Amino acid sequence: MKPVKTIPVIPVIDLLGGVAVQAVRGERAQYRPVESLLCPGCAPVAIAGALRSQTNSRALYVADLDAILSGRGNRETLLALAREPDCDLWVDAGVSDPDGALRVLEAGAGQVVVGTECLTRLNDLESIAKALASEKILVSLDVRHGVVLSKAPGLAGEPPLAGLTRLAGLGFDRFILLTLDGVGTGGGADWKFLEPARRQFPGATLIAGGGVRSPDELRRAAALGLDGVLAATALHRGWITARDLVGAPDAGA
């Protein structure tokens, strides 16, 4: 099969109970320790190394679900991951204020992912933007059941494109477009959102997440002009392999 040469693939690990778990549709109570063709066990550093080797990616997206769910995150694990050679951590730890964002940076993150799921006010996002350099922030537009997942008025329950428009209107231009319904399913990316999002915001950084299942979908994302794709299940199950990604650029470069 023809290698994918034109879009970065950013590997993802989800941390829960201190181990790497398999995410499915954002239903966190159902998550279980990950089982991968790439690496035995569920130790986060080993899993991360296998994923980064498969994708040749410096960037590693880490969802610290313990931090998101309880506020008690995996700081030591993040520090260990950050010590790995040439690792650029993108960390979602449920940040909703500047202090939380700074703690994530102190734990070794190169990028703080601010998810709409954990925002209660849009002002909180603006406060984070004042405290951090813009190149340190990635805003994750979290979508479930066809609407924006958030507690923030003006975002909660909005159609995804309307939510993206609202965030862009605040001056943000670096986004992860994460459709939680597709996570871990291999059901395909959310093209009904991704395609109009790229048309409406041609100059924004847009990284797709949720459901990506094959090299053909990576080519479709590249043709659309997306800036990267998050992947986990497709890598663990061998649907996308290192051979498919020969020459693919690195989002962490």
Side-chain angles (χ1 to χ4, degrees):
M1 185 172 288
K2 182 180 178 182
V4 176
K5 295 184 177 181
T6 55
I7 192 164
V9 175
I10 301 98
V12 176
I13 63 171
D14 292 82
L15 300 178
L16 186 62
V19 302
V21 296
Q22 175 66 54
V24 182
R25 291 185 295 273
E27 298 170 357
R28 291 162 184 160
Q30 307 301 319
Y31 288 9
R32 297 293 182 266
V34 71
E35 296 181 2
S36 178
L37 296 175
L38 305 177
C39 177
C42 54
V45 173
I47 290 290
L51 289 170
R52 290 181 60 221
S53 177
Q54 191 77 354
T55 56
N56 194 32
S57 175
R58 285 185 56 220
L60 174 70
Y61 179 106
V62 181
D64 188 343
L65 301 177
D66 292 301
I68 292 170
L69 294 173
S70 69
R72 297 186 296 274
N74 292 275
R75 177 181 173 84
E76 293 305 315
T77 298
L78 294 178
L79 288 168
L81 291 168
R83 287 194 293 268
E84 290 295 292
D86 296 320
C87 186
D88 178 23
L89 289 186
W90 300 4
V91 178
D92 182 353
V95 165
S96 60
D97 57 47
D99 288 344
L102 291 170
R103 285 194 296 271
V104 170
L105 289 179
E106 290 166 359
Q111 303 274 325
V112 178
V113 178
V114 183
T116 59
E117 174 187 2
C118 295
L119 291 176
T120 57
R121 304 179 307 162
L122 282 172
N123 287 347
D124 296 334
L125 182 56
E126 294 179 288
S127 296
I128 293 169
K130 290 177 182 177
L132 274 65
S134 59
E135 65 269 18
K136 293 292 184 180
I137 301 172
L138 277 165
V139 179
S140 178
L141 185 67
D142 302 326
V143 176
R144 176 181 279 169
H145 304 324
V147 298
V148 177
L149 180 62
S150 184
K151 304 178 185 71
L155 280 181
E158 289 292 306
L161 195 60
L164 183 60
T165 301
R166 182 69 183 272
L167 293 169
L170 296 175
F172 296 95
D173 64 358
R174 303 177 71 238
F175 299 102
I176 293 170
L177 306 181
L178 180 59
T179 300
L180 290 164
D181 310 81
V183 169
T185 66
D190 188 359
W191 301 109
K192 290 182 179 179
F193 174 32
L194 296 171
E195 289 173 344
R198 176 43 88 203
R199 287 195 298 269
Q200 186 161 330
F201 298 99
T205 295
L206 301 180
I207 296 168
V212 173
R213 61 189 174 190
S214 69
D216 284 343
E217 285 216 307
L218 299 183
R219 294 186 190 91
R220 183 172 178 178
L224 182 58
L226 297 180
D227 298 281
V229 170
L230 302 181
T233 300
L235 298 169
H236 290 307
R237 297 189 181 178
W239 301 338
I240 296 171
T241 69
R243 186 174 0 181
D244 299 316
L245 302 176
V246 172
D250 177 10

